[in-house]
Amino acid sequence: MSLIEKAVERLDQLKQAGVTLPDDPAPAAQAPVVAARQAVPDVAEAVAQAATPPLTSAAPAVEPSAVAPRAVTEIDVARLAALGLVSPEQPNSPIAEQYRIIKRPLLRNVQGRGAAPLANANLVMITSSLPGEGKSFSAINLALSIAMELDHTVLLVDADVSKPSVLNTLGLPPSSGLMDVLLGQASSVGDVILRTSIEKLSVLPAGMPHRRATELLASDSMNRLLDEMATRYSDRIIIFDSPPLLVTTEARALATHMGQVVMVVESERTTQAMVRQALSTIEACPVKLMLLNKTDMASNTGHYGVYGYGYGYGYGQTREASHA
């Protein structure tokens, strides 16, 4: 016998015993019902339970404060130092001192203290003429150095989608990234950005390789993504590790959106003709800076390279300055 049938049977028993129950549950007739409930609580409870809808299995609403924070991707800073990279563990190492010099002109432009105001000054592309000149090494070190600043955060983007190396250099496993966003396989760029254990450093991996990477980097989707990154993360400096300029056209397409471009030049290898040809492909970028890599002083320091630094606005005005 169901709960309701038992309740009805019990009500019939009450009627036969002379207990009067009202037919109209209007407010004026509530007193007898209350009395009946007080006299026979078991019946009242049975009726109440029968009239109560069953609880659903839906999860309770989660307060915003109860949402779990995004996972932090651990970076082994001791490993960075062992590889000759800038490391928070060794803020006074020779490589850290070199990149303090290198980043200053870039930061001045971002802060609006350069020779002229720049649009998208926080978008900085690191490239080279040819492979092997050290542009990925330079991009990673520059990002690590900026992450040590008190007033800036940095997002390192692996835009060398044909030969990505940022995650491997940082000792991180493969992960979704830029290509997945452009292909619509990630809902937003925020979903694939890795928050790292270096407090002010985040990483956007290259993501899935794609045979039409050049077209994707030059697409409207990429244009919208870069606009979003420049505005949504306007308080953040975004470093792009791009492909070499003379090997593919991907870097040229990317450079059209940049506020600043740093071209890495390998000492005693990159010819002046290569430098001129590479610079001619990015004439539209308002600020082009050059970084001299792998100088002879490397043998004295034991590091990958000691860097000279040249800077200028436009190709014709570029001048060189070395720092010991």
Side-chain angles (χ1 to χ4, degrees):
M1 182 180 296
S2 69
L3 187 62
I4 294 177
E5 291 173 334
K6 290 181 179 179
V8 172
E9 181 181 10
R10 183 60 175 158
L11 289 173
D12 290 338
Q13 293 174 355
L14 288 171
K15 288 182 181 180
Q16 293 175 5
V19 177
T20 302
L21 295 176
D23 295 327
D24 182 7
Q30 293 303 310
V33 176
V34 173
R37 286 181 176 176
Q38 292 173 346
V40 281
D42 56 331
V43 176
E45 287 297 325
V47 174
Q49 291 178 20
T52 302
L55 295 175
T56 64
S57 59
V62 178
E63 294 295 330
S65 60
V67 176
R70 290 182 60 187
V72 173
T73 301
E74 291 292 331
I75 292 180
D76 185 349
V77 293
R79 179 180 176 276
L80 297 180
L83 291 175
L85 295 164
V86 173
S87 172
E89 271 196 349
Q90 298 184 11
N92 298 317
S93 65
I95 195 76
E97 293 293 346
Q98 292 153 19
Y99 273 92
R100 285 193 178 96
I101 298 171
I102 291 169
K103 69 185 175 184
R104 285 301 157 209
L106 296 168
L107 296 181
R108 282 198 296 269
N109 288 333
V110 171
Q111 295 160 356
R113 296 188 291 146
L118 290 175
N120 295 344
N122 64 321
L123 302 186
V124 183
M125 186 178 89
I126 314 299
T127 188
S128 60
S129 301
L130 299 171
E133 296 185 82
K135 51 96 183 164
S136 295
F137 180 85
S138 301
I140 293 169
N141 274 319
L142 184 60
L144 289 167
S145 182
I146 293 174
M148 295 167 67
E149 291 281 314
L150 296 177
D151 302 323
H152 295 286
T153 59
V154 61
L155 171 63
L156 175 59
V157 180
D158 193 346
D160 193 352
V161 293
S162 298
K163 293 184 177 180
S165 61
V166 169
L167 292 184
N168 184 57
T169 302
L170 294 176
L172 303 179
S175 178
S176 300
L178 178 61
M179 285 293 101
D180 302 275
V181 176
L182 295 178
L183 290 168
Q185 297 176 356
S187 58
S188 72
V189 66
D191 291 338
V192 292
I193 289 177
L194 303 178
R195 177 187 169 207
T196 77
S197 54
I198 298 176
E199 183 181 0
K200 295 184 177 181
L201 174 68
S202 298
V203 176
L204 175 58
M208 177 186 300
H210 197 274
R211 58 186 178 83
R212 297 186 63 192
T214 300
E215 287 76 13
L216 287 169
L217 291 179
S219 67
D220 289 340
S221 296
M222 185 64 179
N223 294 342
R224 289 191 296 269
L225 177 60
L226 289 171
D227 289 342
E228 177 189 355
M229 293 171 72
T231 55
R232 179 178 177 184
Y233 304 105
S234 59
D235 60 338
R236 182 181 296 179
I237 297 173
I238 306 177
I239 305 295
F240 293 82
D241 175 22
S242 87
L245 288 165
L246 299 184
V247 176
T248 72
T249 60
E250 297 166 11
R252 305 175 197 180
L254 194 61
T256 60
H257 303 280
M258 297 294 112
Q260 307 184 71
V261 173
V262 176
M263 193 173 81
V264 177
V265 178
E266 183 176 350
S267 176
E268 301 184 3
R269 178 195 173 202
T270 310
T271 66
Q272 190 176 66
M274 290 177 183
V275 173
R276 290 179 180 273
Q277 184 181 355
L279 287 172
S280 69
T281 66
I282 53 172
E283 288 181 347
C285 185
V287 175
K288 296 177 282 290
L289 307 97
M290 289 190 294
L291 187 156
L292 184 63
N293 188 29
K294 301 183 184 179
T295 67
D296 290 339
M297 291 178 65
S299 59
N300 297 327
T301 65
H303 289 284
Y304 188 83
V306 177
Y307 304 81
Y309 193 66
Y311 60 95
Y313 291 84
Y315 165 67
Q317 299 176 353
T318 300
R319 55 195 175 114
E320 293 185 0
S322 62
H323 301 275

